[in-house]
Amino acid sequence: MVSSATDTIAAIATPPGQGGVGLGRSSGTETPALAGALLGSLPRPRRAEVHGVRAADGTLIAAGLARDFAAPASVTGEHVLALHGHGGPGVRD
């Protein structure tokens, strides 16, 4: 599938391997809905906040820092969510 300019994307932003911190990002119009599903709510704009990350069934699977950048004031010009968590592959992947 080829992505279009209007797709919301999410990706791991740290290299593979072991590390202390892992970073994931989402960018696009569906990012606030994704944040709601994962975190329960959006962090305050441009602030680092500790949030629990939940699976689809509501089970807490991790905790870390979340940062929200509303469009157009982000690096992509779209809504961006950055998640900073434990860097081990079991959590990050």
Side-chain angles (χ1 to χ4, degrees), residues 43-51 65-68 84:
R44 290 177 295 161
R46 307 183 89 62
R47 307 260 186 198
E49 294 183 357
V50 176
H51 275 263
L65 292 177
R67 295 184 304 153
D68 178 59
H84 306 255

Side-chain angles (χ1 to χ4, degrees), residues 3-79:
S3 65
S4 73
T6 60
D7 286 344
T8 296
I9 59 168
I12 296 170
T14 51
Q18 295 186 2
V21 176
L23 175 62
R25 288 194 185 114
S26 175
S27 178
T29 57
E30 296 301 316
T31 295
L34 176 65
L38 290 174
L39 308 174
S41 64
L42 278 172
R44 290 177 295 161
R46 307 183 89 62
R47 307 260 186 198
E49 294 183 357
V50 176
H51 275 263
V53 179
R54 300 196 176 271
D57 67 1
T59 304
L60 182 65
I61 57 173
L65 292 177
R67 295 184 304 153
D68 178 59
F69 301 92
S74 73
V75 69
T76 64
E78 299 177 312
H79 204 116

